[in-house]
Amino acid sequence: MWWSKKMRFLTTEAMAAAHQQAESGHLAAGQASLQTALDSITHKMEGIKKGGLDSASGETFLADLRECHANLASTRMYRAKGQQRLVGHRQCHMNQRSNNIEMSWSNDDDTRAACKRSVGGTRPSYQNKKKDSMMAKARRSSGYHE
């Protein structure tokens, strides 16, 4: 589901921008960043639904973006709840992006070849030697063999 990965990327980038803007006291700019992502994903979701494809992940992104947008309504609301929710949602989606790459990397030769072509290396851009080592150790301890 390439569209899910693209929507996850849009979501995490919008949340990162909104967090940075809100921390600088620019709540309206943060809301604008989130609204741009909301509009883009909403538009993509219309096409996905018309095509009869699964849209559950897109609905999750929209719900998280809406919640973060609402929590930027005032400085008081942002400090009381919004800041933690924004950071939490962003971390959740960033971890999923990283985990998806790991799963694709270890199990899919086509994805591996595409990564080599797109980033000019032997691993996806958010994977590093330390993560490779950790994942190899986890696979060994679980009895998984490639």
Side-chain angles (χ1 to χ4, degrees):
M1 295 192 304
W2 62 268
W3 64 87
S4 181
K5 291 177 184 178
K6 184 168 184 164
M7 285 188 270
R8 187 177 306 281
F9 177 79
L10 289 171
T11 299
T12 56
E13 294 300 306
M15 288 178 177
H19 180 250
Q20 184 176 20
Q21 292 157 333
E23 288 297 307
S24 300
H26 304 291
L27 298 179
Q31 283 184 314
S33 293
L34 295 170
Q35 188 62 52
T36 299
L38 276 163
D39 293 345
S40 178
I41 292 172
T42 299
H43 178 72
K44 289 177 188 341
M45 291 290 292
E46 291 169 3
I48 289 168
K49 287 178 182 177
K50 284 180 185 173
L53 301 170
D54 180 24
S55 60
S57 60
E59 296 296 341
T60 300
F61 302 137
L62 290 172
D64 291 350
L65 287 165
R66 286 184 192 114
E67 179 186 356
C68 292
H69 188 279
N71 288 330
L72 290 178
S74 70
T75 301
R76 183 176 177 198
M77 184 180 284
Y78 176 70
R79 296 288 177 216
K81 178 181 174 184
Q83 183 178 29
Q84 293 81 11
R85 297 297 291 160
L86 182 59
V87 170
H89 283 309
R90 180 172 171 245
Q91 286 177 340
C92 177
H93 292 301
M94 285 295 294
N95 286 340
Q96 186 64 39
R97 279 172 57 185
S98 178
N99 290 340
N100 279 344
I101 289 298
E102 173 59 34
M103 293 303 292
S104 297
W105 183 250
S106 64
N107 298 322
D108 185 352
D109 290 334
D110 292 335
T111 301
R112 193 175 334 188
C115 288
K116 285 182 182 181
R117 286 191 305 273
S118 67
V119 296
T122 58
R123 67 173 51 84
S125 60
Y126 7 116
Q127 189 146 349
N128 57 41
K129 289 180 182 181
K130 197 169 194 174
K131 185 169 181 181
D132 283 345
S133 173
M134 179 202 58
M135 293 306 295
K137 184 177 178 181
R139 283 191 296 271
R140 281 192 306 274
S141 68
S142 70
Y144 174 83
H145 299 287
E146 293 185 48

